Amino acid sequence: RQVDYQLNFVLTETNTLTAGAQFNAEDAQSTLDPLTSQENLGIFVQDQWQLLENWYAGVGVRFDDHSRAGRAETYRANSVYT
């Protein structure tokens, strides 16, 4: 089972803020383990700017809470020229 939700906020003509959440729940079965389940909840925020006509930059952060692996934060910074 999976649920995704994402919102895009256009703050200015050259700046977009994206926020969202994702939930995953999985069940598995094997001969070694009769029934195993795991869940993950992720929440993220990303801000993207158009610096020039073909140049974009962005930063973001994601927080995950996994039932087996624990909690984690990941960060992202990027720049793209097309």
Side-chain angles (χ1 to χ4, degrees), residues 62-80:
R62 179 180 171 104
F63 302 98
D64 283 288
D65 188 7
H66 195 278
S67 61
R68 291 183 173 268
R71 293 182 177 176
E73 298 86 32
T74 52
Y75 306 93
R76 173 184 177 158
N78 67 326
S79 179
V80 177

Side-chain angles (χ1 to χ4, degrees), residues 10-16 48-51:
V10 178
L11 302 177
T12 67
E13 190 175 300
T14 59
N15 183 220
T16 302
Q48 183 168 331
W49 300 272
Q50 182 178 6
L51 303 174

Side-chain angles (χ1 to χ4, degrees), residues 10-68:
V10 178
L11 302 177
T12 67
E13 190 175 300
T14 59
N15 183 220
T16 302
L17 181 70
T18 302
Q22 179 181 51
F23 176 76
N24 294 314
E26 299 176 327
D27 294 324
Q29 194 169 0
S30 73
T31 56
L32 299 175
D33 195 351
L35 182 61
T36 300
S37 64
Q38 60 185 17
E39 297 177 348
N40 185 61
L41 173 63
I43 299 170
F44 62 91
V45 176
Q46 177 176 307
D47 200 1
Q48 183 168 331
W49 300 272
Q50 182 178 6
L51 303 174
L52 297 172
E53 184 178 338
N54 294 328
W55 185 21
Y56 300 87
V59 295
V61 62
R62 179 180 171 104
F63 302 98
D64 283 288
D65 188 7
H66 195 278
S67 61
R68 291 183 173 268

